[in-house]
Short mmCIF file of all heavy atoms in Angstrom, two decimals:
data_model
loop_
_atom_site.label_atom_id
_atom_site.label_comp_id
_atom_site.label_asym_id
_atom_site.label_seq_id
_atom_site.Cartn_x
_atom_site.Cartn_y
_atom_site.Cartn_z
N MET U 1 0.80 -1.26 -0.01
CA MET U 1 0.01 -0.02 0.05
C MET U 1 0.88 1.31 -0.04
O MET U 1 1.64 1.57 0.85
CB MET U 1 -0.87 -0.07 1.21
CG MET U 1 -1.95 0.88 1.15
SD MET U 1 -3.28 0.44 -0.01
CE MET U 1 -4.05 -0.98 0.77
N ALA U 2 0.72 2.04 -1.05
CA ALA U 2 1.65 3.24 -1.14
C ALA U 2 1.13 4.33 -0.20
O ALA U 2 0.00 4.78 -0.28
CB ALA U 2 1.53 3.79 -2.45
N THR U 3 1.93 4.76 0.72
CA THR U 3 1.58 5.80 1.79
C THR U 3 2.61 6.96 1.50
O THR U 3 2.57 7.87 2.42
CB THR U 3 1.65 5.23 3.11
OG1 THR U 3 3.06 4.80 3.40
CG2 THR U 3 0.68 4.06 3.39
N LYS U 4 3.39 7.00 0.55
CA LYS U 4 4.48 8.10 0.40
C LYS U 4 3.85 9.38 0.09
O LYS U 4 4.40 10.38 0.43
CB LYS U 4 5.42 7.74 -0.68
CG LYS U 4 4.78 7.48 -2.04
CD LYS U 4 5.92 7.24 -3.05
CE LYS U 4 5.30 6.72 -4.37
NZ LYS U 4 4.31 7.69 -5.06
N ASP U 5 2.61 9.45 -0.38
CA ASP U 5 2.00 10.79 -0.65
C ASP U 5 1.26 11.24 0.40
O ASP U 5 0.71 12.38 0.36
CB ASP U 5 1.04 10.63 -1.82
CG ASP U 5 1.86 10.33 -3.13
OD1 ASP U 5 2.96 10.66 -3.31
OD2 ASP U 5 1.26 9.64 -4.04
N LEU U 6 1.08 10.54 1.58
CA LEU U 6 0.32 10.97 2.70
C LEU U 6 1.10 11.92 3.57
O LEU U 6 2.27 11.62 3.97
CB LEU U 6 -0.14 9.76 3.50
CG LEU U 6 -1.11 8.85 2.80
CD1 LEU U 6 -1.29 7.62 3.59
CD2 LEU U 6 -2.39 9.57 2.57
N MET U 7 0.53 12.94 4.09
CA MET U 7 1.14 13.85 4.94
C MET U 7 1.17 13.32 6.37
O MET U 7 0.23 12.34 6.60
CB MET U 7 0.49 15.19 5.01
CG MET U 7 0.61 15.95 3.64
SD MET U 7 -0.32 17.53 3.63
CE MET U 7 0.77 18.54 4.80
N PRO U 8 1.87 13.69 7.27
CA PRO U 8 1.76 13.26 8.69
C PRO U 8 0.42 13.53 9.23
O PRO U 8 -0.26 14.50 8.88
CB PRO U 8 2.88 13.95 9.46
CG PRO U 8 3.87 14.47 8.37
CD PRO U 8 3.11 14.62 7.10
N CYS U 9 0.10 12.73 10.26
CA CYS U 9 -1.22 12.96 10.89
C CYS U 9 -1.30 14.46 11.49
O CYS U 9 -0.37 14.81 12.21
CB CYS U 9 -1.36 11.95 12.07
SG CYS U 9 -2.87 12.08 13.00
N PRO U 10 -2.45 15.06 11.23
CA PRO U 10 -2.60 16.46 11.78
C PRO U 10 -2.87 16.42 13.29
O PRO U 10 -2.84 17.53 13.86
CB PRO U 10 -3.94 16.91 11.01
CG PRO U 10 -4.56 15.73 10.65
CD PRO U 10 -3.59 14.62 10.37
N PHE U 11 -3.01 15.28 13.90
CA PHE U 11 -3.34 15.34 15.31
C PHE U 11 -2.07 14.88 16.13
O PHE U 11 -1.73 15.52 17.19
CB PHE U 11 -4.48 14.38 15.63
CG PHE U 11 -5.85 14.79 15.05
CD1 PHE U 11 -6.32 14.14 13.82
CD2 PHE U 11 -6.43 15.87 15.53
CE1 PHE U 11 -7.57 14.63 13.39
CE2 PHE U 11 -7.62 16.28 15.09
CZ PHE U 11 -8.19 15.71 13.90
N CYS U 12 -1.37 13.81 15.69
CA CYS U 12 -0.25 13.31 16.48
C CYS U 12 1.04 13.60 15.73
O CYS U 12 2.05 13.47 16.31
CB CYS U 12 -0.37 11.87 16.73
SG CYS U 12 -0.31 10.80 15.36
N GLY U 13 0.97 14.00 14.48
CA GLY U 13 2.23 14.30 13.71
C GLY U 13 3.06 13.07 13.27
O GLY U 13 4.13 13.24 12.75
N LYS U 14 2.52 12.02 13.55
CA LYS U 14 3.33 10.70 13.24
C LYS U 14 3.02 10.40 11.62
O LYS U 14 1.92 10.81 11.15
CB LYS U 14 3.03 9.55 14.13
CG LYS U 14 3.43 9.80 15.40
CD LYS U 14 3.05 8.63 16.41
CE LYS U 14 3.48 8.93 17.93
NZ LYS U 14 2.86 8.02 18.89
N HIS U 15 4.03 9.61 11.06
CA HIS U 15 3.87 9.29 9.69
C HIS U 15 3.38 7.89 9.60
O HIS U 15 4.16 7.12 8.81
CB HIS U 15 5.16 9.75 8.99
CG HIS U 15 4.97 10.33 7.59
ND1 HIS U 15 4.27 9.62 6.69
CD2 HIS U 15 5.45 11.44 7.03
CE1 HIS U 15 4.21 10.42 5.55
NE2 HIS U 15 4.91 11.47 5.85
N VAL U 16 2.39 7.43 10.15
CA VAL U 16 1.93 6.14 10.24
C VAL U 16 0.60 5.83 9.50
O VAL U 16 0.13 4.82 9.50
CB VAL U 16 2.00 5.44 11.58
CG1 VAL U 16 3.45 5.46 12.09
CG2 VAL U 16 1.08 6.17 12.47
N ALA U 17 0.11 6.91 8.84
CA ALA U 17 -1.12 6.82 8.22
C ALA U 17 -1.15 5.91 7.10
O ALA U 17 -0.16 5.87 6.36
CB ALA U 17 -1.69 8.22 7.89
N SER U 18 -2.24 5.09 6.86
CA SER U 18 -2.33 4.25 5.75
C SER U 18 -3.61 4.26 5.13
O SER U 18 -4.68 4.57 5.74
CB SER U 18 -1.78 2.90 6.31
OG SER U 18 -2.74 2.29 7.20
N LEU U 19 -3.65 3.81 3.80
CA LEU U 19 -5.03 3.79 3.24
C LEU U 19 -5.77 2.48 3.67
O LEU U 19 -5.28 1.36 3.76
CB LEU U 19 -4.80 3.56 1.65
CG LEU U 19 -4.51 4.97 0.92
CD1 LEU U 19 -4.04 4.71 -0.51
CD2 LEU U 19 -5.89 5.74 0.90
N GLN U 20 -7.04 2.57 3.92
CA GLN U 20 -7.82 1.57 4.24
C GLN U 20 -9.06 1.42 3.39
O GLN U 20 -9.58 2.46 2.76
CB GLN U 20 -8.34 1.75 5.72
CG GLN U 20 -7.30 1.98 6.75
CD GLN U 20 -6.37 0.82 6.97
OE1 GLN U 20 -6.73 -0.39 6.73
NE2 GLN U 20 -5.08 0.94 7.37
N TYR U 21 -9.57 0.33 3.26
CA TYR U 21 -10.94 0.16 2.51
C TYR U 21 -11.89 -0.73 3.42
O TYR U 21 -11.57 -1.77 3.79
CB TYR U 21 -10.70 -0.42 1.12
CG TYR U 21 -12.05 -0.57 0.44
CD1 TYR U 21 -12.35 0.42 -0.39
CD2 TYR U 21 -12.90 -1.60 0.39
CE1 TYR U 21 -13.47 0.59 -1.23
CE2 TYR U 21 -14.02 -1.61 -0.34
CZ TYR U 21 -14.40 -0.53 -1.15
OH TYR U 21 -15.58 -0.54 -1.89
N ASP U 22 -12.95 -0.25 3.82
CA ASP U 22 -13.84 -0.87 4.72
C ASP U 22 -15.28 -0.51 4.23
O ASP U 22 -15.76 0.43 4.41
CB ASP U 22 -13.54 -0.47 6.08
CG ASP U 22 -14.09 -1.25 7.08
OD1 ASP U 22 -15.02 -2.03 6.82
OD2 ASP U 22 -13.68 -1.31 8.31
N VAL U 23 -16.05 -1.56 3.95
CA VAL U 23 -17.30 -1.35 3.54
C VAL U 23 -18.24 -1.37 4.77
O VAL U 23 -19.38 -1.03 4.61
CB VAL U 23 -17.87 -2.50 2.54
CG1 VAL U 23 -17.10 -2.48 1.25
CG2 VAL U 23 -17.71 -3.91 3.16
N ASP U 24 -17.81 -1.68 5.79
CA ASP U 24 -18.60 -1.85 7.08
C ASP U 24 -18.41 -0.52 7.96
O ASP U 24 -19.27 -0.39 8.80
CB ASP U 24 -18.22 -3.05 7.89
CG ASP U 24 -18.47 -4.42 7.06
OD1 ASP U 24 -19.43 -4.47 6.48
OD2 ASP U 24 -17.65 -5.39 7.30
N ALA U 25 -17.39 0.14 7.71
CA ALA U 25 -17.28 1.27 8.66
C ALA U 25 -18.30 2.37 8.60
O ALA U 25 -18.71 3.07 9.35
CB ALA U 25 -15.81 1.85 8.33
N TYR U 26 -18.77 2.41 7.25
CA TYR U 26 -19.75 3.37 6.91
C TYR U 26 -21.06 2.80 6.41
O TYR U 26 -20.90 2.32 5.15
CB TYR U 26 -19.27 4.51 6.03
CG TYR U 26 -18.05 5.20 6.54
CD1 TYR U 26 -16.66 4.78 6.51
CD2 TYR U 26 -18.22 6.41 7.40
CE1 TYR U 26 -15.70 5.45 7.06
CE2 TYR U 26 -17.16 7.06 8.04
CZ TYR U 26 -15.77 6.63 7.83
OH TYR U 26 -14.94 7.30 8.29
N PRO U 27 -22.10 2.74 7.03
CA PRO U 27 -23.33 2.06 6.59
C PRO U 27 -23.75 2.58 5.40
O PRO U 27 -24.49 2.01 4.46
CB PRO U 27 -24.17 2.12 7.67
CG PRO U 27 -23.42 2.48 8.89
CD PRO U 27 -22.19 3.18 8.44
N ASP U 28 -23.55 3.91 5.03
CA ASP U 28 -24.20 4.60 3.99
C ASP U 28 -23.42 4.06 2.60
O ASP U 28 -22.23 4.39 2.55
CB ASP U 28 -24.03 6.05 4.13
CG ASP U 28 -24.64 6.80 2.94
OD1 ASP U 28 -25.02 6.22 1.88
OD2 ASP U 28 -24.68 7.99 2.90
N ALA U 29 -24.07 3.39 1.85
CA ALA U 29 -23.45 2.74 0.62
C ALA U 29 -22.99 3.81 -0.20
O ALA U 29 -22.06 3.55 -1.13
CB ALA U 29 -24.38 1.81 -0.09
N GLU U 30 -23.47 4.99 -0.22
CA GLU U 30 -23.05 6.08 -1.05
C GLU U 30 -21.68 6.67 -0.73
O GLU U 30 -21.12 7.39 -1.65
CB GLU U 30 -24.18 7.12 -1.15
CG GLU U 30 -25.47 6.86 -1.53
CD GLU U 30 -25.42 6.37 -3.11
OE1 GLU U 30 -24.76 6.97 -3.91
OE2 GLU U 30 -26.08 5.33 -3.54
N THR U 31 -21.27 6.39 0.41
CA THR U 31 -19.98 6.96 0.83
C THR U 31 -19.01 6.00 1.16
O THR U 31 -17.89 6.26 1.61
CB THR U 31 -20.21 7.99 2.07
OG1 THR U 31 -20.77 7.10 3.08
CG2 THR U 31 -21.16 9.00 1.72
N LEU U 32 -19.25 4.68 1.01
CA LEU U 32 -18.30 3.69 1.31
C LEU U 32 -17.00 3.88 0.36
O LEU U 32 -17.21 4.38 -0.67
CB LEU U 32 -18.82 2.26 1.36
CG LEU U 32 -19.35 1.71 -0.05
CD1 LEU U 32 -18.17 1.18 -0.85
CD2 LEU U 32 -20.31 0.57 0.23
N GLY U 33 -15.88 3.31 0.96
CA GLY U 33 -14.91 3.31 0.13
C GLY U 33 -13.43 3.43 0.85
O GLY U 33 -13.34 3.03 1.91
N TRP U 34 -12.53 4.17 0.17
CA TRP U 34 -11.28 4.36 0.72
C TRP U 34 -11.26 5.56 1.71
O TRP U 34 -11.96 6.47 1.65
CB TRP U 34 -10.28 4.71 -0.40
CG TRP U 34 -10.06 3.58 -1.34
CD1 TRP U 34 -10.74 3.41 -2.49
CD2 TRP U 34 -9.21 2.45 -1.17
NE1 TRP U 34 -10.36 2.18 -3.05
CE2 TRP U 34 -9.35 1.72 -2.27
CE3 TRP U 34 -8.28 2.14 -0.12
CZ2 TRP U 34 -8.62 0.57 -2.45
CZ3 TRP U 34 -7.54 0.98 -0.35
CH2 TRP U 34 -7.66 0.18 -1.62
N TYR U 35 -10.36 5.32 2.89
CA TYR U 35 -10.17 6.46 3.67
C TYR U 35 -8.75 6.17 4.33
O TYR U 35 -8.12 5.19 4.09
CB TYR U 35 -11.25 6.47 4.76
CG TYR U 35 -11.23 5.25 5.83
CD1 TYR U 35 -10.47 5.30 6.92
CD2 TYR U 35 -11.91 4.16 5.37
CE1 TYR U 35 -10.53 4.14 7.75
CE2 TYR U 35 -11.88 2.92 6.18
CZ TYR U 35 -11.16 3.05 7.40
OH TYR U 35 -11.17 1.89 8.15
N VAL U 36 -8.25 7.24 4.92
CA VAL U 36 -6.97 7.08 5.51
C VAL U 36 -7.13 7.10 6.96
O VAL U 36 -7.92 7.80 7.47
CB VAL U 36 -6.08 8.34 5.17
CG1 VAL U 36 -4.68 8.33 5.84
CG2 VAL U 36 -5.76 8.33 3.54
N ASP U 37 -6.30 6.23 7.63
CA ASP U 37 -6.30 6.32 9.18
C ASP U 37 -4.96 6.35 9.71
O ASP U 37 -4.06 5.82 9.12
CB ASP U 37 -7.29 5.41 9.73
CG ASP U 37 -6.60 3.89 10.00
OD1 ASP U 37 -5.74 3.64 9.17
OD2 ASP U 37 -7.07 3.35 10.98
N CYS U 38 -4.87 6.94 10.76
CA CYS U 38 -3.60 6.93 11.57
C CYS U 38 -3.45 5.75 12.35
O CYS U 38 -4.18 5.58 13.34
CB CYS U 38 -3.47 8.16 12.46
SG CYS U 38 -1.95 8.50 13.28
N ASP U 39 -2.69 4.82 11.86
CA ASP U 39 -2.83 3.41 12.31
C ASP U 39 -2.49 3.22 13.78
O ASP U 39 -1.29 3.36 14.19
CB ASP U 39 -1.92 2.49 11.42
CG ASP U 39 -2.11 1.12 11.55
OD1 ASP U 39 -2.88 0.65 12.46
OD2 ASP U 39 -1.72 0.29 10.72
N ASN U 40 -3.51 2.83 14.56
CA ASN U 40 -3.26 2.55 15.91
C ASN U 40 -3.41 1.00 16.15
O ASN U 40 -3.45 0.59 17.43
CB ASN U 40 -4.14 3.40 16.84
CG ASN U 40 -5.61 3.09 16.64
OD1 ASN U 40 -5.91 2.33 15.75
ND2 ASN U 40 -6.40 3.56 17.45
N GLU U 41 -3.44 0.21 15.22
CA GLU U 41 -3.53 -1.20 15.38
C GLU U 41 -2.21 -1.87 15.19
O GLU U 41 -1.82 -2.68 15.95
CB GLU U 41 -4.64 -1.68 14.49
CG GLU U 41 -5.98 -1.31 14.88
CD GLU U 41 -7.06 -1.90 14.02
OE1 GLU U 41 -6.77 -2.60 13.23
OE2 GLU U 41 -8.26 -1.64 14.30
N THR U 42 -1.53 -1.57 14.07
CA THR U 42 -0.41 -2.11 13.80
C THR U 42 0.87 -1.21 13.71
O THR U 42 1.96 -1.60 13.64
CB THR U 42 -0.40 -2.77 12.22
OG1 THR U 42 -0.67 -1.66 11.40
CG2 THR U 42 -1.37 -3.81 12.17
N ALA U 43 0.51 0.18 14.17
CA ALA U 43 1.58 1.13 14.34
C ALA U 43 1.21 1.98 15.36
O ALA U 43 0.06 1.85 15.99
CB ALA U 43 1.79 1.83 12.98
N ASP U 44 2.13 2.86 15.82
CA ASP U 44 1.87 3.73 16.96
C ASP U 44 1.04 5.04 16.74
O ASP U 44 1.51 5.98 17.08
CB ASP U 44 3.22 3.96 17.66
CG ASP U 44 3.02 4.68 19.04
OD1 ASP U 44 1.96 4.40 19.77
OD2 ASP U 44 3.98 5.34 19.46
N GLY U 45 0.00 4.86 15.89
CA GLY U 45 -0.80 5.99 15.60
C GLY U 45 -1.87 6.30 16.56
O GLY U 45 -1.88 5.75 17.60
N CYS U 46 -2.64 7.36 16.28
CA CYS U 46 -3.64 7.80 17.37
C CYS U 46 -5.04 7.50 16.81
O CYS U 46 -5.95 7.61 17.72
CB CYS U 46 -3.60 9.38 17.41
SG CYS U 46 -4.11 10.31 15.99
N GLY U 47 -5.21 6.88 15.74
CA GLY U 47 -6.54 6.46 15.47
C GLY U 47 -7.41 7.45 14.64
O GLY U 47 -8.47 7.19 14.26
N ALA U 48 -6.80 8.61 14.30
CA ALA U 48 -7.50 9.62 13.57
C ALA U 48 -7.84 9.06 12.09
O ALA U 48 -7.13 8.29 11.62
CB ALA U 48 -6.69 10.79 13.43
N ILE U 49 -9.00 9.45 11.65
CA ILE U 49 -9.43 8.96 10.36
C ILE U 49 -9.85 10.21 9.49
O ILE U 49 -10.34 11.23 9.86
CB ILE U 49 -10.62 8.03 10.43
CG1 ILE U 49 -11.73 8.68 11.00
CG2 ILE U 49 -10.31 6.72 11.05
CD1 ILE U 49 -13.11 7.85 10.90
N GLY U 50 -9.48 10.01 8.18
CA GLY U 50 -9.88 11.09 7.17
C GLY U 50 -11.19 10.73 6.59
O GLY U 50 -11.87 9.80 6.80
N PRO U 51 -11.70 11.64 5.71
CA PRO U 51 -12.92 11.51 5.05
C PRO U 51 -12.89 10.28 4.08
O PRO U 51 -11.90 9.94 3.53
CB PRO U 51 -13.11 12.72 4.17
CG PRO U 51 -12.12 13.69 4.83
CD PRO U 51 -10.94 12.97 5.40
N THR U 52 -14.02 9.66 3.83
CA THR U 52 -14.18 8.49 3.05
C THR U 52 -14.25 9.01 1.59
O THR U 52 -14.95 10.12 1.26
CB THR U 52 -15.39 7.67 3.34
OG1 THR U 52 -15.30 7.49 4.73
CG2 THR U 52 -15.45 6.42 2.60
N ALA U 53 -13.67 8.37 0.68
CA ALA U 53 -13.61 8.73 -0.78
C ALA U 53 -13.88 7.49 -1.67
O ALA U 53 -13.49 6.31 -1.15
CB ALA U 53 -12.32 9.44 -1.06
N ARG U 54 -14.17 7.67 -2.92
CA ARG U 54 -14.37 6.59 -3.78
C ARG U 54 -13.19 5.87 -4.37
O ARG U 54 -13.06 4.79 -4.76
CB ARG U 54 -15.32 6.92 -4.86
CG ARG U 54 -16.64 7.23 -4.48
CD ARG U 54 -17.67 7.58 -5.62
NE ARG U 54 -19.06 7.86 -5.26
CZ ARG U 54 -19.89 7.03 -4.96
NH1 ARG U 54 -19.56 5.62 -4.90
NH2 ARG U 54 -21.00 7.41 -4.51
N THR U 55 -12.18 6.71 -4.37
CA THR U 55 -10.82 6.38 -4.87
C THR U 55 -9.64 6.57 -3.94
O THR U 55 -9.76 7.44 -3.08
CB THR U 55 -10.50 7.03 -6.20
OG1 THR U 55 -10.16 8.43 -5.91
CG2 THR U 55 -11.61 6.95 -7.15
N GLN U 56 -8.52 5.88 -4.13
CA GLN U 56 -7.49 6.00 -3.22
C GLN U 56 -6.85 7.55 -3.27
O GLN U 56 -6.53 8.17 -2.23
CB GLN U 56 -6.32 5.15 -3.60
CG GLN U 56 -6.80 3.55 -3.35
CD GLN U 56 -5.58 2.74 -3.74
OE1 GLN U 56 -4.41 2.87 -3.43
NE2 GLN U 56 -5.91 1.59 -4.38
N GLU U 57 -6.92 8.05 -4.54
CA GLU U 57 -6.37 9.35 -4.80
C GLU U 57 -7.21 10.41 -4.01
O GLU U 57 -6.62 11.30 -3.44
CB GLU U 57 -6.44 9.63 -6.30
CG GLU U 57 -5.37 8.90 -7.03
CD GLU U 57 -5.75 7.40 -7.31
OE1 GLU U 57 -6.91 7.05 -7.07
OE2 GLU U 57 -4.82 6.67 -7.58
N GLU U 58 -8.54 10.17 -4.11
CA GLU U 58 -9.33 11.25 -3.34
C GLU U 58 -9.29 11.14 -1.85
O GLU U 58 -9.15 12.09 -1.23
CB GLU U 58 -10.91 10.88 -3.79
CG GLU U 58 -11.12 11.30 -5.20
CD GLU U 58 -12.68 11.03 -5.59
OE1 GLU U 58 -13.23 10.43 -4.70
OE2 GLU U 58 -12.96 11.25 -6.77
N ALA U 59 -9.06 9.94 -1.50
CA ALA U 59 -8.85 9.68 0.09
C ALA U 59 -7.51 10.34 0.51
O ALA U 59 -7.50 10.91 1.50
CB ALA U 59 -8.84 8.20 0.35
N ILE U 60 -6.42 10.23 -0.24
CA ILE U 60 -5.28 10.74 -0.03
C ILE U 60 -5.33 12.39 0.07
O ILE U 60 -4.85 13.00 0.96
CB ILE U 60 -4.05 10.29 -1.00
CG1 ILE U 60 -3.87 8.94 -0.76
CG2 ILE U 60 -2.86 11.24 -0.78
CD1 ILE U 60 -2.91 8.25 -1.83
N ALA U 61 -5.90 12.81 -1.07
CA ALA U 61 -6.07 14.29 -1.18
C ALA U 61 -6.90 14.87 0.02
O ALA U 61 -6.63 15.92 0.63
CB ALA U 61 -6.78 14.64 -2.51
N ALA U 62 -7.93 14.06 0.43
CA ALA U 62 -8.75 14.57 1.49
C ALA U 62 -7.90 14.59 2.87
O ALA U 62 -8.01 15.45 3.66
CB ALA U 62 -9.96 13.64 1.65
N TRP U 63 -7.21 13.53 2.97
CA TRP U 63 -6.37 13.49 4.17
C TRP U 63 -5.32 14.52 4.28
O TRP U 63 -5.07 15.21 5.30
CB TRP U 63 -5.61 12.14 4.28
CG TRP U 63 -4.55 11.85 5.34
CD1 TRP U 63 -3.21 12.23 5.30
CD2 TRP U 63 -4.84 11.62 6.65
NE1 TRP U 63 -2.73 11.97 6.46
CE2 TRP U 63 -3.72 11.70 7.33
CE3 TRP U 63 -5.95 11.31 7.32
CZ2 TRP U 63 -3.43 11.29 8.78
CZ3 TRP U 63 -5.94 11.05 8.73
CH2 TRP U 63 -4.64 11.00 9.49
N ASN U 64 -4.79 14.85 3.10
CA ASN U 64 -3.78 15.91 3.08
C ASN U 64 -4.29 17.29 3.20
O ASN U 64 -3.52 18.22 3.41
CB ASN U 64 -2.90 15.81 1.66
CG ASN U 64 -2.10 14.51 1.67
OD1 ASN U 64 -1.88 13.95 2.65
ND2 ASN U 64 -1.54 14.19 0.54
N THR U 65 -5.60 17.42 3.12
CA THR U 65 -6.00 18.86 3.59
C THR U 65 -6.03 19.08 4.98
O THR U 65 -6.18 20.19 5.48
CB THR U 65 -7.57 19.02 3.04
OG1 THR U 65 -8.39 18.06 3.83
CG2 THR U 65 -7.62 18.74 1.49
N ARG U 66 -5.94 18.00 5.77
CA ARG U 66 -5.70 17.94 7.17
C ARG U 66 -6.87 18.53 7.91
O ARG U 66 -7.12 17.98 8.89
CB ARG U 66 -4.49 18.74 7.61
CG ARG U 66 -3.25 18.19 7.03
CD ARG U 66 -1.91 19.08 7.08
NE ARG U 66 -1.56 19.28 8.50
CZ ARG U 66 -0.52 18.55 9.09
NH1 ARG U 66 0.15 17.66 8.25
NH2 ARG U 66 -0.10 18.75 10.26
N ALA U 67 -7.40 19.65 7.56
CA ALA U 67 -8.45 20.36 8.17
C ALA U 67 -9.79 19.45 8.40
O ALA U 67 -10.50 19.58 9.20
CB ALA U 67 -8.84 21.63 7.44
N THR U 68 -9.89 18.51 7.43
CA THR U 68 -11.23 17.84 7.37
C THR U 68 -11.03 16.48 8.14
O THR U 68 -11.92 15.75 8.32
CB THR U 68 -11.63 17.59 5.97
OG1 THR U 68 -10.60 16.89 5.25
CG2 THR U 68 -11.99 18.85 5.25
N ALA U 69 -9.74 16.08 8.48
CA ALA U 69 -9.58 14.98 9.17
C ALA U 69 -10.30 14.95 10.59
O ALA U 69 -10.27 16.00 11.33
CB ALA U 69 -7.95 14.65 9.46
N THR U 70 -10.73 13.79 11.08
CA THR U 70 -11.38 13.97 12.32
C THR U 70 -10.78 12.82 13.25
O THR U 70 -10.34 11.81 12.67
CB THR U 70 -12.91 13.56 12.20
OG1 THR U 70 -13.04 12.37 11.51
CG2 THR U 70 -13.68 14.65 11.43
N GLN U 71 -10.72 13.03 14.50
CA GLN U 71 -10.11 12.10 15.35
C GLN U 71 -11.17 11.13 15.96
O GLN U 71 -12.22 11.53 16.50
CB GLN U 71 -9.42 12.82 16.46
CG GLN U 71 -8.60 11.86 17.32
CD GLN U 71 -7.59 12.65 18.09
OE1 GLN U 71 -7.74 13.73 18.44
NE2 GLN U 71 -6.43 11.90 18.52
N PHE U 72 -10.81 9.93 15.65
CA PHE U 72 -11.58 8.87 16.22
C PHE U 72 -11.43 8.66 17.74
O PHE U 72 -10.16 8.44 18.08
CB PHE U 72 -11.34 7.51 15.50
CG PHE U 72 -12.15 6.25 16.01
CD1 PHE U 72 -13.47 6.21 15.68
CD2 PHE U 72 -11.49 5.33 16.82
CE1 PHE U 72 -14.17 5.07 16.33
CE2 PHE U 72 -12.18 4.25 17.31
CZ PHE U 72 -13.64 4.11 16.93
N LYS U 73 -12.48 8.60 18.46
CA LYS U 73 -12.36 8.41 19.84
C LYS U 73 -12.97 7.11 20.25
O LYS U 73 -14.23 7.03 20.31
CB LYS U 73 -12.80 9.52 20.64
CG LYS U 73 -12.07 10.88 20.43
CD LYS U 73 -12.60 12.01 21.45
CE LYS U 73 -11.88 13.30 21.06
NZ LYS U 73 -10.45 13.14 21.26
N GLY U 74 -12.16 6.05 20.45
CA GLY U 74 -12.82 4.83 20.74
C GLY U 74 -12.97 4.78 22.26
O GLY U 74 -13.34 3.72 22.83
ZN1 ZN F 101 -2.36 10.46 14.60
#
């Protein structure tokens, strides 16, 4: 999974964000697809997630705007 184009996480500043695809994370079928998250499962991220997009490129672009990223609070 290419993550070289991803900016560091806007919340924790770490460079562990990765692209994910999850059809279950968002019940709305119109918005399912790719998103970026700050990996807190296999890396030392904070769990912040970016907006969902239909393509990897859109998900990366959305993440890189930083302002629209939201922090997941489990
Ligand atoms: Zn983070």
